[in-house]
Structures are given as structure tokens and as C-alpha cells.
Amino acid sequence: MENNENQRRFTSWKEIAQYLGRDIRTCQRWEEKFGLPVYRVDPESPKSRVYAFKDELDEWLHQRKPPRTPIANAFLWLQTFKKRLLYLGLPALAGIIVILALFIPRLLGPSDPADFRIEGSKLVVLNAKGKELWHYETGLQNLVGETKYRESFQFRRLKESADRYLMPTLIMKDINADRRIEVLFSTQTEDEMGEGELICFNDRGAELWRFKAGREMKFGSTVYSPDYRICGFDTYDVDNDGQLEIFISSLQIPHWPTQLVSLSSQGRMLGEYWHSGYLNDFVFADLDKDGQTEIIFAGLNNEYRKACLIVFDAGNLNGSSPQTESEFRCPELGPGSEKYYILFPRTDFDMIANPVEAVERMNILQNGYLSLSTSVSKIIYILNSGLAVESVIFSHGFIQLHSEAVREGKIKSTLDEKYRENLKKGVVYFDGQKWVNWPTPTGFLGETKN
């Protein structure tokens, strides 16, 4: 090698590799792929002796730094990280550890609950990619299958085979404004026994709270056991504070009453209403456009055996349904906090077809009107935003069933405008003391229960 440092020459792959701090094969690869300036005594022979100049190697390194391997990159990052930690000290180290704990799991993959499986008696919670995040063992060997939960997963859905809506029994949402997804899961069983709990889990599967539906209640002289099925629940931000309230409808098994409950996002009971009959559907709407949300329940009143519709201020759910006979009243309960309680008339057809009638299907139309369909006769009622009856519609199903009943001599009525008007006039409203034939609020002046 020559004495002039800038003209220093390396005369073998070994010397070149030693200067560059790499193995011989890496340097040969750099020559082939990245143009490392290496010369051969015989340019025509790949096996010829090689030589290279220090200043040219330095210039090549300056202009084109060779790519580091992943292992080399990791080693360099660790060395830099170590130096920075020593410089910043222990407080900074603690902060960095916290940041890494928060963000590394999200970098590795989605961690929010997004889907589920039911495996026997177990709820398995999945992320958006279908990977298991955690699971919960219910201990219920009679837990319903996955299909049942999917029928209304996340939101109220139409079950076309039954021509009615199903309320959710499993919801994954951020209910408490913590930017994490909570899981609301109600236990549902094949034989309706051993169920009736709503459990709230955080995104990692830790139980935050649980609610047990129903309790032992006495209506008239009958004591009803605390066996309740959660028919469905839904969430709504009633007071616009960013946190969702939970509304639950639960039915005593195998009879009645229905318990309606509102809970805070922390599981605290905000309101409770008891109804003599089942309520199988509910929706949220601002009917009177006053900026306050109403919650509207539909179903059946057992005493009157009629379809019913009940409207509450969503933040005021208390008391019990208006009943006349003692058999259907609970002595420990006061009057209900309904804004409106409406009963729909029976038809001559449904009275021979079934002992009771109910509102089976309910929708809020684009103009703010309500569309209601009864379960037996399939009569459709359209109510305006003031809850007055705008029209009564005979469904094709009702026309066919009515015609068959007439042909068989079971009834003698004719489906004409008079029939329609009689149904319209048969809609009655509870004014707080009696039933009237015009749209009338109950006049309840109670305060919201806290």
C-alpha cells in the first residue's frame, strides 16, 4: 500500500472488507448491486485480483450509504434509545414506558371490539379482523346460539319472517365517552330460564357493571316471580352530554308484567316503569319538535286486551300503566309518567281470531308521522306528530282474512268507509283520569326520578 493516505490502496477483498467494517461477501454484493468502486488487474476475469482506493471508497460511502439490514437497524435504534434514556433520566423513562404501553398494542393490530362468536356457553369478542380479543364464560348451557344474537346485533332490525322488529340483545359502542368500545351483553337462553342479566364490559373484557332485570312483584292478589327475560335494549344520549343512556324492556316469564328501565352509562338506575302487559318494540323520536327526545313503546295492555302505544319524555320513566281492575294494579306503584297512553280498538275479525291484540310493528316516517301495524288483524294506523289518527289502512292480509271470515259466516261486517271511521273513532287516549276519543296528554306533572 502507498504512503500517501489519500491515495492509499487496498489490494484484496480482505483489506477492502476490513476498511469498510463488513464481511467479504457483503462488499462483493455492494460492488455488484450498488457500484462499490473496486478494480481488477484483469478486467475480463471475475476471478482476477482486486484493488480499490481509500478516497474513492470514502466518496462512495458519502454519496450512497448502503442499506442496513433489519437487524442492523434494530441494533442502531437500541443504541440511540439507550443514549437518550441515559440523558433524559428516570422520569422520562417512565413516561416513555406509559406511551409505549398505550400505543404499541394499537400498532400491532385493531384492539376495539367489533364482532363476536357464540361458542356453546361462551361469548367470544373479536376485533374488526376477526381475531379474538377476549371471551366471557356465562355458565349457561342453554345460551341461545349466535344466530339469535345476530338477528338484532347493534341496532333494532326487522325480522321479516315474523313481520316485526327485534330490539338488540348485544351492542358494542362507546357508551361512556372514553373513546373505547364497551360491550353490552344480555344473557338469553333457549328455554327462557336463568337469564335476564345485562352485563357491561370494557374493551379488554373487564366487567364494569351488571343489571338484573325484574324482581318479585304483586299485582292484585298474584305474586309474580323475579324470572324475567330481557326482550331488548337500546342506547340514546338523552341529555346530550356525550354519554349514552341505556333503555331496557324486560318481560316476566311466563306471564307479565313488563319492566321498563333507564340506566346511566355507569349502570345507575335513572327510571323504572311497570306495565300490565308486554311491550315488544320501542323507538326514539322528537315528535313535537321541541328539542326533547321522546321514547315510544308499543305492545299490548292485558286488562283491555288491546294494542297500546305509550309516549314518554326519554328522561322521565316512572310509575305504572293506567289500569282499572285491581288484578292489573300493583299497590306499591304510583301513576305513570307517560305523556300519552293510547289504546287501539279491536276488530270483529281479531276478536274471533285471538283473545288479545297488540301493536306489532312501528316506524317513524320521514314526515315525522308514526306508522303502526297490529299483530292479528294487520290494520295499519298512521298517526301525525300530535298523535291524532290521520288514516286507517286495511292491509292486503286483513282484507283476505276478513273475506274468509265473512265467507265462513263468522262475521257479517263490510270493509267500507264506515268500518274505517269506526276504527278511527275507537282510538282512545288516557287523560290522567279517564279515556277520551281525542288526542290528549295524560296531564302527569311529576318530576324526573334521580
Side-chain angles (χ1 to χ4, degrees):
M1 293 184 291
E2 298 181 2
N3 293 329
N4 187 327
E5 184 64 22
N6 288 333
Q7 292 298 316
R8 183 179 174 186
R9 187 170 67 173
F10 307 105
T11 58
S12 68
W13 278 115
K14 181 179 180 181
E15 290 183 357
I16 294 170
Q18 286 177 343
Y19 179 69
L20 295 176
R22 298 290 188 273
D23 59 65
I24 291 175
R25 295 187 66 180
T26 297
C27 294
Q28 290 173 338
R29 181 168 57 83
W30 286 357
E31 180 207 13
E32 179 182 352
K33 293 187 176 182
F34 305 112
L36 183 71
V38 175
Y39 303 94
R40 286 171 171 74
V41 175
D42 181 2
E44 302 298 326
S45 173
K47 296 183 178 181
S48 173
R49 293 181 59 186
V50 296
Y51 62 94
F53 297 98
K54 174 183 177 295
D55 58 343
E56 291 184 359
L57 294 178
D58 291 342
E59 179 66 20
W60 182 88
L61 287 171
H62 177 72
Q63 292 180 355
R64 183 188 180 96
K65 293 184 179 180
R68 290 189 292 270
T69 65
I71 294 177
N73 277 327
F75 179 77
L76 180 61
W77 183 87
L78 287 172
Q79 292 293 328
T80 305
F81 186 65
K82 179 180 177 182
K83 291 178 182 178
R84 291 179 179 175
L85 285 181
L86 292 174
Y87 176 76
L88 293 172
L90 289 177
L93 174 59
I96 291 172
I97 290 174
V98 171
I99 293 172
L100 290 176
L102 290 173
F103 288 100
I104 283 181
R106 290 191 173 270
L107 293 175
L108 294 176
S111 61
D112 285 335
D115 203 356
F116 71 97
R117 292 195 306 268
I118 299 294
E119 297 179 353
S121 60
K122 186 167 60 177
L123 167 70
V124 181
V125 174
L126 314 173
N127 66 12
K129 293 186 176 181
K131 180 180 178 181
E132 179 176 339
L133 299 177
W134 50 269
H135 65 265
Y136 170 69
E137 174 57 61
T138 68
L140 297 170
Q141 299 306 312
N142 55 349
L143 189 70
V144 301
E146 185 175 317
T147 300
K148 290 289 186 181
Y149 280 103
R150 287 208 179 276
E151 285 179 339
S152 56
F153 177 48
Q154 292 290 59
F155 53 87
R156 175 178 177 263
R157 297 174 189 259
L158 177 64
K159 185 176 182 180
E160 294 187 2
S161 61
D163 196 30
R164 65 187 180 91
Y165 284 92
L166 299 177
M167 300 305 297
T169 52
L170 175 58
I171 286 177
M172 298 178 182
K173 286 183 181 179
D174 178 9
I175 66 168
N176 55 14
D178 65 350
R179 298 186 179 181
R180 298 282 186 175
I181 300 298
E182 283 75 43
V183 176
L184 292 168
F185 171 69
S186 69
T187 52
Q188 305 277 311
T189 60
E190 294 288 355
D191 56 6
E192 300 183 346
M193 300 304 295
E195 57 180 27
E197 286 192 317
L198 177 64
I199 311 169
C200 180
F201 301 94
N202 69 11
D203 60 327
R204 294 178 296 280
E207 183 178 320
L208 299 178
W209 52 263
R210 75 171 56 203
F211 166 77
K212 179 69 173 72
R215 61 178 181 272
E216 188 174 272
M217 295 289 287
K218 184 177 182 180
F219 283 75
S221 60
T222 304
V223 176
Y224 294 89
S225 73
D227 297 283
Y228 280 74
R229 151 163 282 204
I230 293 178
C231 302
F233 63 91
D234 209 345
T235 59
Y236 199 90
D237 184 4
V238 174
D239 49 10
N240 297 312
D241 65 350
Q243 300 192 42
L244 301 179
E245 285 72 42
I246 302 103
F247 294 84
I248 309 166
S249 175
S250 306
L251 178 65
Q252 199 275 345
I253 299 298
H255 302 292
W256 56 275
T258 294
Q259 179 198 41
L260 306 178
V261 167
S262 59
L263 304 177
S264 72
S265 60
Q266 289 76 39
R268 181 171 63 91
M269 185 179 287
L270 301 174
E272 181 184 41
Y273 177 89
W274 292 85
H275 185 260
S276 295
Y278 76 82
L279 300 173
N280 62 327
D281 193 13
F282 61 92
V283 295
F284 301 93
D286 181 5
L287 290 176
D288 52 12
K289 307 301 180 185
D290 65 349
Q292 299 296 316
T293 300
E294 283 87 35
I295 182 168
I296 308 161
F297 290 90
L300 157 72
N301 188 298
N302 275 19
E303 177 182 351
Y304 309 108
R305 301 180 180 274
K306 291 182 177 182
C308 67
L309 185 78
I310 318 171
V311 179
F312 297 89
D313 280 328
N316 191 6
L317 195 66
N318 297 291
S320 61
S321 56
Q323 308 298 151
T324 302
E325 298 180 11
S326 61
E327 176 187 354
F328 298 95
R329 294 202 307 266
C330 176
E332 69 178 78
L333 299 173
S337 58
E338 317 95 336
K339 291 179 71 173
Y340 288 88
Y341 195 110
I342 308 172
L343 292 176
F344 295 86
R346 303 294 303 270
T347 68
D348 52 354
F349 166 76
D350 71 62
M351 291 184 72
I352 64 168
N354 200 293
V356 298
E357 177 68 290
V359 173
E360 182 176 57
R361 186 168 173 177
M362 171 172 55
N363 282 302
I364 305 292
L365 305 180
Q366 291 188 17
N367 60 0
Y369 287 13
L370 273 170
S371 170
L372 313 171
S373 176
T374 56
S375 60
V376 180
S377 63
K378 307 298 181 183
I379 296 287
I380 300 169
Y381 293 88
I382 305 297
L383 277 60
N384 63 27
S385 56
L387 299 179
V389 180
E390 287 285 327
S391 59
V392 177
I393 302 170
F394 302 148
S395 67
H396 293 298
F398 176 59
I399 294 172
Q400 181 179 352
L401 292 170
H402 184 274
S403 297
E404 290 176 1
V406 170
R407 188 166 55 250
E408 293 170 1
K410 295 178 179 179
I411 56 177
K412 298 180 179 181
S413 59
T414 302
L415 294 185
D416 52 17
E417 283 306 309
K418 183 178 179 180
Y419 192 103
R420 197 189 310 270
E421 283 300 312
N422 286 336
L423 288 177
K424 190 172 181 180
K425 292 176 182 178
V427 177
V428 294
Y429 305 77
F430 187 66
D431 69 0
Q433 294 183 336
K434 61 185 182 301
W435 298 98
V436 298
N437 296 99
W438 55 91
T440 307
T442 61
F444 180 81
L445 301 176
E447 295 182 356
T448 302
K449 186 179 182 180
N450 293 317

